[in-house]
Amino acid sequence: MIRINLLPEEFRRSERTSFKLFAATLAAVVLVCSAFGWFAYAYFGEYGEARQELAREKDKLASVTERAAYHDQLEKEKKDYEARQQTIKDIAMSRMLWSEVLDQVLDVVNNDGNTERHLAWFQGVSVREAAGNSGPQLAMPGWVQGANISKVADFHDDIENAPFFQDVKEMSFPGGRLEVDGQRQPPEALRFDLRMTFKPAKDWSKNRPDKGAKPAAKPAGK
Amino acid sequence: MKKLNEKQKLLIVAGSAVLLCGLAGAGVWWAKDLAQQERDSVAAVRTQIQAAEAKIAKIPALERDVIILRECVHEYVKILPEERELSNFLRATNQFARQAGVVLDQAVPGKASAAGGSSKFDRYTYSLQFKGTLWQFMRFTNFFESYERFVNVRNFSLTADNRRKGSPQPGEDAIHQVQMTLETYVYTGTQKGKDVQIPNYANKKANLREDIFRNLTGMRRDRYEFKDQRGRRDIFVDPREPSGPVDKQGVPLLHQKKIIDEFTAQVQQLKGISQRAKDPAITIIERMQLERTLKQSLEEMRTKIADVNDKGLISFLPYRLHWTKQVVEQVDGLANDLARGAASNDRYLSELEIKQLLDTMRAAMINGDWEVAKQAYENSAERLDVPRTDPRHRAVVGVMQLYERTKAALEFSQLKLEIKGVAVSGNGRSGLILNGEVLQEGEYVNDNLLIKSVGREQVEFVFKGFTIVKTF
């Protein structure tokens, strides 16, 4: 049956929204509201919280920054002083105490008054400073009384057993040439030329970390 | 306007919804992005805070180190000054020369040079020429090596004194020529800025006294103390005797050796006595006797040693060291040991030792060894003088009583008492013929000797308060 509504439009009853449209609209509204709710949560919730946390952490940082700066100042001052201390240590490491070395040589030569083993004396002593990879060089031309060449060997052995010898890199080989001086009693003496080259400063026993006693170096000769 | 149909309306609704959801979604994405950025910032700030807290945790140790270093800086400045102060260095050189006894001919400055590399110091050198004995040279060198300011002996050369062919006379030393190059340093890495203000500095410094002291002493570890000649000979002098007739004052080498050997043998004997005196197994009496013997022998040895030294009998240089080390120093060592032992012991005998002395004296008196008892007392007499308040006083009184008894017995035994006959009376005084004289009981022979009673086989005397029985 065809139904025709003859009422003017303005007098007609409005048509009901269809259920489909209503449901769709409702769903759309819910979705949109949810979406905006989510946005509000993200913005005011998460982001807001993060901002507050950042503010708190910044306050905390501000409170420790001053102490950290104090630490930096102390660190800098310590480094300045340590630089000087290290310089002193560097110089000390490179310094050989010649009074100690010569005192030990004197003990070896005097040998507690025992002249049977060797009786030595010297023309002089000269020390040249370190150069290149070697340490200082010491030269002592001298004599051993008598014509028995083994006394020269005994003297060299005693030098090798002296404490300072652990810092010696090379020593001249033992040997001697007979000289006769009629104005002396006994007239015979064996002349020899004692030469020693010390190790570089970094290898000296006092500069080693263990500072322990090491076996004396074997004479390598020249 | 054309009316929208349902489908169009639906489309519009859907489209609007999608658009709005999209906007909201974009907003969420944007908000989350912002939140993430904030969280990243928070993480960065936390890292900074952790780093700052780690630094803060190190502050106490840093303060400690800085305080120690700061308090030692005056020492650093002495060792490695920032100013050249070469005038002071030259004055010190002059002072060392005077103290060592060398004659300084020259002290010429060299060129200054930077150490190079990362080292923060400059070097300044001085070339010295001087004359002196070996011992003066050693002292002079040692002064520089022990100087508070760092000085390095870079090189040197000693030329032996060859002016005389003969050995130096006793008491004379050879004068050698020496050339030496010294190097000192100036610190160039000066500290910029003021010292940091450390709260409660004074208290913290007071608490670190020991560490500061340790740091200061640690810095001066690189030193050597030269202990002078110690009887050694100069190794730059020919020690051989000149050939030809022996100097009138010179003693032949064999004789010098003989003197040293004799004295060395005597020293060994004294060492043996000293060892025995320390043996815990011996009695106090034996120890007293040994120490007395040792003391007397050491005094005699010292007199003889002084005599040898005064006469200069040991003139051969190598023998002089032997003499010093094997004889003189050994005798001094024994004397010091004896003195130390006496000082460390209680001045008086202990209870046990007094008891031992009593037992020894009693045993000797029972055996009739009066001399032994007397000697035992006299060996310990010096250490029996205990005060009255000392608990050992009573025992000492007992010892002294025994000693008096011993003395009396010894004196009595020296008396001439010849008894020719006795007359024993049951009721009345008995008598005897003593030294040709007739005497009765109760009569005095002399002021100290009384006849107490006369028996058939013995006579009792009272001598100096003690009753002594003489049998015949």
Side-chain angles (χ1 to χ4, degrees):
Chain A
M1 183 165 83
I2 299 169
R3 292 173 73 93
I4 300 171
N5 191 345
L6 296 173
L7 275 176
E9 208 167 319
E10 55 268 29
F11 294 112
R12 288 184 197 167
R13 210 168 36 183
S14 53
E15 284 180 22
R16 272 184 165 180
T17 308
S18 71
F19 181 72
K20 217 160 71 174
L21 184 61
F22 177 73
T25 307
L26 187 64
V29 166
V30 167
L31 267 172
V32 167
C33 287
S34 301
F36 275 96
W38 188 20
F39 166 71
Y41 171 73
Y43 188 81
F44 295 106
E46 284 185 27
Y47 176 53
E49 208 175 290
R51 271 199 315 184
Q52 281 176 6
E53 196 174 347
L54 180 64
R56 276 197 302 273
E57 294 299 321
K58 279 187 173 172
D59 284 341
K60 200 170 166 188
L61 178 65
S63 72
V64 298
T65 297
E66 197 180 333
R67 290 287 283 168
Y70 175 59
H71 164 276
D72 293 338
Q73 288 171 339
L74 286 173
E75 184 86 37
K76 182 178 176 307
E77 187 176 339
K78 181 182 169 185
K79 279 193 174 120
D80 285 341
Y81 284 127
E82 281 183 339
R84 179 177 246 165
Q85 200 180 43
Q86 186 57 43
T87 305
I88 290 172
K89 284 183 184 166
D90 290 343
I91 296 172
M93 273 179 61
S94 65
R95 189 173 81 146
M96 174 75 79
L97 295 179
W98 290 109
S99 57
E100 184 178 10
V101 171
L102 287 179
D103 210 11
Q104 291 175 19
V105 171
L106 285 167
D107 283 339
V108 169
V109 174
N110 276 269
N111 200 24
D112 272 348
N114 177 1
T115 58
E116 298 300 317
R117 185 167 166 79
H118 55 72
L119 178 61
W121 66 98
F122 296 89
Q123 190 176 343
V125 57
S126 68
V127 163
R128 282 191 305 174
E129 59 193 298
N133 269 348
S134 292
Q137 295 174 356
L138 179 143
M140 292 180 75
W143 297 263
V144 162
Q145 177 182 285
N148 186 350
I149 200 81
S150 65
K151 290 189 190 268
V152 178
D154 291 341
F155 175 71
H156 277 69
D157 280 348
D158 288 350
I159 285 283
E160 284 181 28
N161 288 330
F164 75 87
F165 198 81
Q166 56 186 322
D167 295 331
V168 172
K169 183 174 153 192
E170 289 175 340
M171 185 171 78
S172 50
F173 288 127
R177 196 179 333 117
L178 185 66
E179 289 183 358
V180 176
D181 182 353
Q183 294 184 356
R184 292 285 180 177
Q185 186 59 36
E188 299 92 359
L190 288 159
R191 190 184 168 100
F192 63 95
D193 196 6
L194 180 69
R195 288 182 185 275
M196 282 183 267
T197 302
F198 285 78
K199 295 174 185 170
K202 61 177 174 56
D203 295 330
W204 294 346
S205 57
K206 69 172 184 178
N207 295 334
R208 278 200 297 267
D210 55 0
K211 287 191 170 58
K214 297 262 178 167
K218 293 274 190 266
K222 290 188 297 187
Chain B
M1 201 165 86
K2 193 178 170 186
K3 220 175 163 181
L4 298 169
N5 60 25
E6 190 177 314
K7 194 176 176 184
Q8 285 172 334
K9 285 180 185 173
L10 275 171
L11 279 170
I12 289 169
V13 165
S16 303
V18 164
L19 185 67
L20 288 170
C21 284
L23 275 174
V28 165
W29 178 83
W30 175 70
K32 279 190 180 296
D33 186 52
L34 286 177
Q36 185 57 41
Q37 285 178 12
E38 294 296 289
R39 279 195 283 273
D40 290 343
S41 300
V42 164
V45 169
R46 280 196 183 139
T47 306
Q48 290 176 36
I49 289 170
Q50 276 176 1
E53 282 174 347
K55 285 185 181 179
I56 290 167
K58 291 180 190 170
I59 283 175
L62 263 179
E63 282 181 340
R64 178 189 167 279
D65 291 343
V66 167
I67 290 171
I68 290 173
L69 289 166
R70 217 185 262 181
E71 292 305 314
C72 294
V73 75
H74 66 280
E75 189 70 18
Y76 299 159
V77 168
K78 276 192 226 168
I79 296 170
L80 188 61
E82 291 166 12
E83 303 295 326
R84 280 178 295 181
E85 298 175 356
L86 293 178
S87 301
N88 286 342
F89 179 72
L90 205 59
R91 285 190 198 100
T93 302
N94 184 50
Q95 185 190 343
F96 294 157
R98 277 192 298 114
Q99 284 175 336
V102 302
V103 175
L104 194 58
D105 294 330
Q106 177 180 296
V108 174
K111 276 188 184 174
S113 60
S118 59
S119 300
K120 295 180 181 172
F121 60 89
D122 288 342
R123 302 176 203 268
Y124 292 83
T125 59
Y126 267 88
S127 294
L128 306 183
Q129 275 188 20
F130 57 92
K131 293 188 279 281
T133 65
L134 171 61
W135 316 112
Q136 290 168 343
F137 157 72
M138 291 292 291
R139 280 197 293 272
F140 189 54
T141 307
N142 192 240
F143 283 146
F144 281 110
E145 290 176 342
S146 308
Y147 188 29
E148 57 185 15
R149 178 175 183 164
F150 249 135
V151 177
N152 183 20
V153 178
R154 264 172 59 169
N155 55 58
F156 64 90
S157 132
L158 182 149
T159 307
D161 180 6
N162 60 0
R163 288 170 301 157
R164 291 175 302 213
K165 288 296 180 185
S167 298
Q169 296 302 311
E172 274 185 41
D173 280 320
I175 306 293
H176 308 301
Q177 296 279 345
V178 183
Q179 283 181 313
M180 181 184 279
T181 302
L182 300 174
E183 185 175 80
T184 189
Y185 312 92
V186 171
Y187 186 60
T188 53
T190 47
Q191 190 184 350
K192 297 175 183 61
K194 292 184 186 173
D195 288 344
V196 176
Q197 285 287 335
I198 296 178
N200 204 15
Y201 185 86
N203 278 349
K204 288 175 183 172
K205 176 184 148 190
N207 291 338
L208 291 168
R209 264 194 318 272
E210 283 185 24
D211 293 312
I212 292 168
F213 178 74
R214 208 176 301 125
N215 201 45
L216 279 170
T217 48
M219 292 186 57
R220 303 307 292 163
R221 221 175 292 149
D222 180 31
R223 274 186 173 171
Y224 177 71
E225 190 189 342
F226 173 63
K227 293 190 182 74
D228 226 327
Q229 188 177 356
R230 289 180 280 147
R232 296 176 294 181
R233 66 177 169 89
D234 184 344
I235 64 172
F236 299 105
V237 170
D238 189 340
R240 294 176 296 176
E241 293 291 323
S243 59
V246 173
D247 188 319
K248 275 185 198 167
Q249 294 177 353
V251 175
L253 290 183
L254 275 175
H255 189 58
Q256 290 186 42
K257 185 91 173 48
K258 193 176 164 208
I259 292 172
I260 293 174
D261 288 342
E262 280 171 5
F263 273 81
T264 306
Q266 286 177 36
V267 164
Q268 292 307 316
Q269 279 179 1
L270 292 179
K271 278 185 174 175
I273 295 173
S274 175
Q275 281 296 108
R276 284 203 304 279
K278 289 176 188 164
D279 186 354
I282 63 170
T283 64
I284 173 65
I285 310 301
E286 286 168 343
R287 181 159 60 249
M288 290 292 178
Q289 276 177 338
L290 288 170
E291 284 178 358
R292 187 182 284 245
T293 308
L294 183 62
K295 193 174 170 187
Q296 282 170 352
S297 303
L298 283 171
E299 280 169 14
E300 284 169 15
M301 276 284 276
R302 278 181 147 165
T303 307
K304 288 183 195 171
I305 287 169
D307 191 45
V308 167
N309 287 339
D310 289 343
K311 289 178 183 169
L313 295 180
I314 311 296
S315 58
F316 185 46
L317 291 173
Y319 285 171
R320 274 199 229 161
L321 177 62
H322 199 79
W323 169 254
T324 304
K325 281 206 172 296
Q326 302 303 328
V327 176
V328 177
E329 285 182 2
Q330 297 299 321
V331 166
D332 287 344
L334 284 169
N336 288 341
D337 269 350
L338 194 62
R340 252 198 312 272
S344 65
N345 292 339
D346 183 3
R347 205 181 135 228
Y348 308 117
L349 294 181
S350 64
E351 280 274 5
L352 180 63
E353 287 167 343
I354 294 173
K355 185 178 174 308
Q356 280 181 349
L357 177 60
L358 273 170
D359 292 342
T360 303
M361 287 180 76
R362 279 198 196 108
M365 287 162 75
I366 288 168
N367 292 335
D369 293 329
W370 304 107
E371 277 294 343
V372 169
K374 181 173 169 240
Q375 195 61 43
Y377 174 86
E378 284 173 355
N379 283 344
S380 310
E382 287 167 358
R383 297 179 67 190
L384 286 170
D385 188 22
V386 299
R388 284 181 182 279
T389 49
D390 194 297
R392 293 168 284 185
H393 183 71
R394 197 173 162 193
V396 167
V397 167
V399 168
M400 290 173 77
Q401 284 173 349
L402 285 185
Y403 177 61
E404 291 301 320
R405 195 187 290 263
T406 304
K407 269 199 321 186
L410 278 169
E411 282 180 35
F412 182 81
S413 65
Q414 304 297 321
L415 296 175
K416 184 171 172 263
L417 298 170
E418 206 178 320
I419 301 174
K420 288 287 186 191
V422 298
V424 178
S425 168
N427 52 354
R429 292 196 299 177
S430 302
L432 75 162
I433 301 171
L434 179 67
N435 296 340
E437 205 178 325
V438 176
L439 295 164
Q440 287 183 320
E441 287 172 351
E443 284 188 19
Y444 278 93
V445 179
N446 58 41
D447 289 342
N448 290 323
L449 187 63
L450 170 74
I451 300 171
K452 185 178 174 187
S453 72
V454 177
R456 292 183 194 284
E457 291 172 2
Q458 67 192 32
V459 176
E460 282 185 7
F461 292 92
V462 176
F463 179 67
K464 289 190 176 178
F466 294 104
T467 301
I468 301 176
V469 176
K470 187 170 172 67
T471 57
F472 47 86

